[in-house]
Amino acid sequence: ATLQVRIESFVVDNEPRALDGEISLPPGTHRLALSYTAPVLRGGEWVRFRHRLEGLDDDWVAAGGSRLASYDSLPPGRYVFRAAVAGSPGSRDELGASLAFTVQPFFWQTLVFRAGGTLLLVGAGGAATWWHLRRKHHRQLTELERERRQQSDLAHASRVALLGELSASPAHE
C-alpha cells in the first residue's frame, strides 16, 4: 500500500499562512515551520518521512517519524518544499507533497540596486581618473609654459649681452 503525504500547515513567524496560491514572504528574517503527515489507519509508528527544501538543501533530509521541518533566516529566493514517505516498511513506493514559496529581497539585495551600485562605483572611478589626468596635464602645461618663458628670458638676455659686446667692441677700437 502507498501513502500520500500532505502538507498540513505553513507557519511564518508564528502566523499560519494559507496553502493555496502563490506564497510570497516579505523581506527580512523569518522563522518558517512546515508540518506534514500521511494518513495511516493503524500502526503509524513505522512511517518514516524525509523532506527537502529545493533552493537550500542539496539532498533529502531524513526526518524519521518527525512531521515538522523548520528553517530560520532564509536568503531571498524561490523555494520548493517537498516531503515524502515510504509506503510500507522496506517499500520504495512513495507519493510526495510540495509547496512553493518566495522570500522577497530587500531593495539593496536586488539586481537593479547591485547593478546601479556597480555602475556608480565604475563612474566614480572613471571621474576620479579623468580629474587626476586633467590635473596632471594642467601641471605639465604649466611646467612647459614656465620652461618656455625661461628660455625666452635666457634668449633675450643672450641678445642683450651680444648687443652690449657689439657696441662695446667699436668703442674699444
Side-chain angles (χ1 to χ4, degrees):
T2 59
L3 296 175
Q4 170 113 24
V5 176
R6 70 180 183 87
I7 296 174
E8 291 184 314
S9 69
F10 182 51
V11 179
V12 179
D13 297 328
N14 296 322
E15 300 212 6
R17 292 286 182 120
L19 297 176
D20 55 346
E22 178 65 26
I23 299 174
S24 181
L25 305 179
T29 56
H30 301 289
R31 176 155 179 76
L32 310 177
L34 297 110
S35 65
Y36 49 90
T37 191
V40 178
L41 295 177
R42 83 187 142 98
E45 62 275 355
W46 56 265
V47 177
R48 296 292 173 245
F49 293 94
R50 63 186 187 160
H51 62 265
R52 177 180 183 187
L53 186 60
E54 291 178 4
L56 181 68
D57 297 329
D58 292 330
D59 204 0
W60 289 92
V61 176
S66 174
R67 291 171 164 85
L68 180 68
S70 62
Y71 300 92
D72 288 318
S73 306
L74 292 176
R78 182 157 174 69
Y79 299 94
V80 178
F81 176 78
R82 297 189 187 282
V85 65
S88 61
S91 170
R92 296 298 297 161
D93 298 334
E94 58 187 43
L95 296 171
S98 65
L99 176 70
F101 62 93
T102 304
V103 177
Q104 298 297 322
F106 283 107
F107 175 69
W108 59 85
Q109 295 172 317
T110 62
L111 181 61
V112 170
F113 180 82
R114 290 177 179 173
T118 301
L119 287 175
L120 183 64
L121 287 174
V122 168
T129 301
W130 174 81
W131 182 75
H132 172 71
L133 291 175
R134 185 170 180 262
R135 285 194 47 159
K136 184 177 177 181
H137 181 68
H138 182 69
R139 280 195 303 266
Q140 288 173 340
L141 286 176
T142 304
E143 183 64 27
L144 285 173
E145 180 64 26
R146 188 181 62 76
E147 287 176 11
R148 189 195 62 74
R149 239 182 291 120
Q150 283 179 346
Q151 287 181 351
S152 174
D153 290 348
L154 188 60
H156 178 68
S158 175
R159 283 193 301 272
V160 168
L162 184 60
L163 269 173
E165 282 181 34
L166 289 175
S167 63
S169 181
H172 185 349
E173 301 258 342

